[in-house]
Amino acid sequence: RDRVYRQGYVQLGVEVYGGALFAPWFDRDLSIAGRVHYKSRRGELRSALIDFSDPIAVIPSLAIHLNRGVNDSRSINAQKELVPLLSQLGKEEDFDFNELLLQQVKKQPVHRFAQEILAHELFLYDTQAATLIGLKQEFISSARLDNLLSCFLACKALVNCKNTHASLLVCNDHEEVGSQSYIGAKGNFLKDVLGRVFKTPELYSRAIASSLLVSADNAHSLSHIHI
């Protein structure tokens, strides 16, 4: 789905990616970013990355007097309730989401000859900037910390290491949907790369056996053991 018209308002049809907490998405200033595939004036098939940057959408909460039991228990229907509000239309106005994307693509000089949007893979994201909170500013408050923070720290550690041992950093995608893609953790990419580095099965096995694997995950940084 691309868009939904309701009572003169334009809403976007969306799908939830992976395992998500639904409640924090309400009443946030949201923008849209992702990849767009298009046809140029010359008939070429090309792709572009876009980012609206500004907040252009919101998923509004229902007023408390219309849902008195919302604080007692709440089951969120992702298909019905997580539909972002994008714009309001007048009686004679029309809205074309692909045209909106086309104009955004053409703002980039390298893509100024884009003519027709063919497909897109877009994501809503919270525009609120990351910040430090707490009395001593000891906490980081930000969206997408898991696992961007661990990837950043691992990259910094790799750059600053003393090169006494061979080190490798792997940042896999699609973990939230089972890591099943070719670039996911269950794909063959890492194994294929290591196979090219270590030319024989014996060298490969020795390298794996003498290696230390560190898996970093922000969401699991604190745990309690009860006896």
Side-chain angles (χ1 to χ4, degrees):
R1 296 181 298 160
D2 261 353
R3 56 194 180 277
V4 180
Y5 295 97
R6 291 178 179 172
Q7 303 297 321
Y9 294 90
V10 178
Q11 294 179 287
L12 293 179
V14 298
E15 183 60 56
V16 175
Y17 173 80
L21 293 172
F22 294 161
W25 282 93
F26 288 90
D27 305 313
R28 297 274 186 171
D29 297 332
L30 304 177
S31 190
I32 297 175
R35 184 182 300 275
V36 174
H37 302 278
Y38 68 87
K39 183 174 69 174
S40 71
R41 295 178 187 174
R42 299 176 181 175
E44 299 171 324
L45 300 182
R46 302 191 62 185
S47 64
L49 296 177
I50 64 170
D51 185 354
F52 283 84
S53 298
D54 296 326
I56 60 172
V58 66
I59 303 174
S61 294
L62 189 63
I64 185 65
H65 57 277
L66 297 177
N67 188 7
R68 290 293 187 184
V70 66
N71 293 322
D72 300 329
S73 62
R74 183 179 186 184
S75 178
I76 299 173
N77 186 314
Q79 299 297 326
K80 294 182 178 180
E81 298 180 63
L82 294 183
V83 183
L85 182 66
L86 190 64
S87 182
Q88 184 178 17
L89 293 181
K91 292 182 179 180
E92 304 300 326
E93 288 184 286
D94 193 11
F95 176 81
D96 188 331
F97 187 57
N98 281 341
E99 181 62 27
L100 177 68
L101 296 179
L102 182 61
Q103 296 306 315
Q104 190 69 18
V105 169
K106 293 171 70 173
K107 289 181 180 180
Q108 304 177 48
V110 69
H111 300 296
R112 64 186 181 277
F113 296 119
Q115 185 177 49
E116 180 185 358
I117 300 298
L118 302 176
H120 50 75
E121 184 181 10
L122 303 172
F123 298 87
L124 289 161
Y125 70 92
D126 184 7
T127 59
Q128 181 175 339
T131 186
L132 296 177
I133 63 173
L135 291 176
K136 297 178 289 184
Q137 293 190 328
E138 64 267 52
F139 305 119
I140 301 174
S141 177
S142 174
R144 300 173 295 280
L145 277 177
D146 184 33
N147 275 22
L148 292 185
L149 179 60
S150 53
C151 291
F152 171 76
L153 293 176
C155 186
K156 293 287 288 187
L158 185 66
V159 171
N160 296 329
C161 70
K162 298 180 179 179
N163 296 321
T164 56
H165 299 83
S167 301
L168 176 68
L169 168 63
V170 182
C171 299
N172 291 112
D173 201 356
H174 299 158
E175 179 263 340
E176 286 292 340
V177 289
S179 303
Q180 299 287 351
S181 70
Y182 75 99
I183 55 175
K186 289 187 178 181
N188 294 325
F189 180 76
L190 176 59
K191 185 177 180 180
D192 290 343
V193 170
L194 293 178
R196 293 185 179 96
V197 175
F198 304 102
K199 302 298 184 180
T200 67
E202 182 178 354
L203 290 175
Y204 175 82
S205 297
R206 287 184 176 183
I208 296 299
S210 61
S211 297
L212 174 66
L213 173 64
V214 177
S215 179
D217 194 324
N218 258 347
H220 307 155
S221 61
L222 180 64
S223 62
H224 298 275
I225 300 177
H226 300 279
I227 301 178

